């Protein structure tokens, strides 16, 4: 299966370059997550849902490789659980770039990916001491 043709068939040919640039082929499709699609520049919720629904239709309800591995890991390593309830503290961190949503509406997905990639590289650079 050719991913570019598949995308064009979905009416989403504008993402061919993003899939190609991120080496997404038919072997990777079943493992794609919504976060993966966002990271390659697919900002439209509708487009992400169409792609994920089409992937599900292509591969059926078979679990992805990552789900299969997780299940295998849980089977091997899971301790026996008791029926007692346990409360645990959960800390959640959400980080967003100010203005990224309007920016994503103005820029081509590839250009947005370049802008965000530049930002990531800059914040990852070590700061000069002194």
């Amino acid at each position: 299966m050719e991913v570019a043709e598949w995308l064009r068939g979905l009416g989403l040919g504008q993402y061919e370059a993003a899939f190609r640039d991120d080496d997404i082929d038919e072997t990777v499709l079943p493992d794609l997550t919504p976060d993966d699609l966002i990271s390659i520049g697919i900002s439209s919720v509708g487009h992400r849902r169409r792609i994920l629904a089409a992937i599900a239709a292509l591969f059926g309800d078979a679990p992805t490789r990552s789900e299969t591995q997780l299940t295998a890991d849980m089977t091997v390593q899971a301790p026996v659980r008791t029926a007692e309830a346990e409360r645990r503290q959960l800390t959640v961190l959400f980080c967003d770039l100010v203005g990224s949503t309007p920016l994503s509406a103005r820029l081509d997905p590839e250009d947005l990916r370049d802008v965000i990639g530049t930002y990531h590289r800059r914040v990852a650079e070590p700061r000069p001491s002194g």
Side-chain angles (χ1 to χ4, degrees):
M1 177 187 79
E2 177 62 22
V3 173
E5 290 176 20
W6 176 74
L7 285 167
R8 285 192 299 271
L10 294 173
L12 299 171
Q14 68 267 35
Y15 300 117
E16 286 179 43
F19 275 66
R20 183 180 57 252
D21 292 346
D22 284 288
D23 302 311
I24 298 171
D25 61 16
E26 67 276 359
T27 64
V28 177
L29 282 178
D31 293 327
L32 287 179
T33 66
D35 288 339
D36 293 331
L37 296 175
I38 290 169
S39 74
I40 67 169
I42 302 175
S43 59
S44 166
V45 173
H47 289 179
R48 287 195 306 269
R49 288 191 180 262
R50 276 193 5 215
I51 289 170
L52 292 171
I55 290 170
L58 264 179
F59 297 98
D61 289 330
T64 65
R65 277 170 261 148
S66 58
E67 290 170 339
T68 304
Q69 185 59 44
L70 178 60
T71 302
D73 290 346
M74 289 170 61
T75 302
V76 172
Q77 299 173 1
V80 175
R81 304 263 183 215
T82 63
E84 294 179 30
E86 180 180 341
R87 290 188 183 264
R88 295 183 181 190
Q89 183 176 0
L90 174 66
T91 302
V92 178
L93 172 66
F94 174 78
C95 182
D96 189 18
L97 295 173
V98 174
S100 63
T101 301
L103 189 62
S104 70
R106 288 196 329 256
L107 294 177
D108 185 307
E110 290 82 13
D111 294 336
L112 179 63
R113 184 186 62 209
D114 292 342
V115 168
I116 292 175
T118 300
Y119 166 77
H120 286 157
R121 285 188 297 280
R122 291 296 306 243
V123 298
E125 290 175 359
R127 293 183 179 197
S129 59

